[in-house]
């Protein structure tokens, strides 16, 4: 089965950096993308970035553009989210997810319904 494991969260001060990892396994689909979402207490899930198969295309939400960078180690099937200049508003549980086929193109790259499988999430806390 498809498995996604997010890791790398922690506690940092405002302006600090973290690098999240998403280890993916168990899928051999022709077309897919890996997305990162976050969810703060009492808030809806927010899509923040997506990387296409092979890392050819990358997309970022305005809230993280210029601060966060998504990348892939294709050989290891691991996807990274480098987060710089962190702010308290970035505090959330961060999830990686996989979108299979054309769902993201049809429904939106940052729409949770575009994603078929989700990792367990990793907590990021940014202190002021």
């Amino acid at each position: 089965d498809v498995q996604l494991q997010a890791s790398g969260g922690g506690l940092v001060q405002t302006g600090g950096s973290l690098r999240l990892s998403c280890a993916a396994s168990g899928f051999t689909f022709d077309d897919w993308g890996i997305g990162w979402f976050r969810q703060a207490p009492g808030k809806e899930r927010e899509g923040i970035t997506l990387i296409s198969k092979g890392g050819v295309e990358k997309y970022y939400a305005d809230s993280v553009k210029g601060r966060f960078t998504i990348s892939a180690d294709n050989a290891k099937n691991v996807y990274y989210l480098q987060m710089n200049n962190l702010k308290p508003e970035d505090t959330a549980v961060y999830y990686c997810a996989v979108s299979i086929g054309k769902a993201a193109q049809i429904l939106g790259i940052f729409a949770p319904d575009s994603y078929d499988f989700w990792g367990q999430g990793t907590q990021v806390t940014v202190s002021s």
Side-chain angles (χ1 to χ4, degrees):
D1 290 345
V2 173
Q3 294 188 26
L4 302 168
Q5 293 186 315
S7 61
L11 174 64
V12 298
Q13 294 181 336
T14 297
S17 298
L18 283 173
R19 188 193 194 196
L20 306 184
S21 299
C22 176
S25 64
F27 60 92
T28 56
F29 309 107
D30 290 336
D31 190 16
W32 52 263
I34 295 291
W36 284 95
F37 286 73
R38 64 187 182 186
Q39 188 165 21
K43 304 293 185 180
E44 296 181 353
R45 278 177 291 175
E46 177 190 13
I48 55 175
T49 187
L50 177 143
I51 188 168
S52 66
K53 179 181 178 180
V56 176
E57 300 178 59
K58 301 174 183 178
Y59 304 92
Y60 299 95
D62 289 341
S63 59
V64 305
K65 194 175 299 181
R67 299 188 298 121
F68 292 10
T69 303
I70 190 168
S71 62
D73 184 332
N74 294 315
K76 296 180 179 180
N77 206 16
V78 176
Y79 305 86
Y80 302 102
L81 182 65
Q82 178 67 45
M83 306 186 296
N84 297 326
N85 192 24
L86 284 162
K87 306 173 181 179
E89 65 191 73
D90 296 317
T91 295
V93 177
Y94 283 70
Y95 300 90
C96 62
V98 61
S99 177
I100 299 170
K102 303 296 184 182
Q105 289 81 2
I106 296 169
L107 300 176
I109 60 175
F110 299 134
D113 287 348
S114 296
Y115 293 80
D116 301 280
F117 300 96
W118 296 79
Q120 83 285 5
T122 185
Q123 176 71 48
V124 172
T125 302
V126 185
S127 62
S128 60

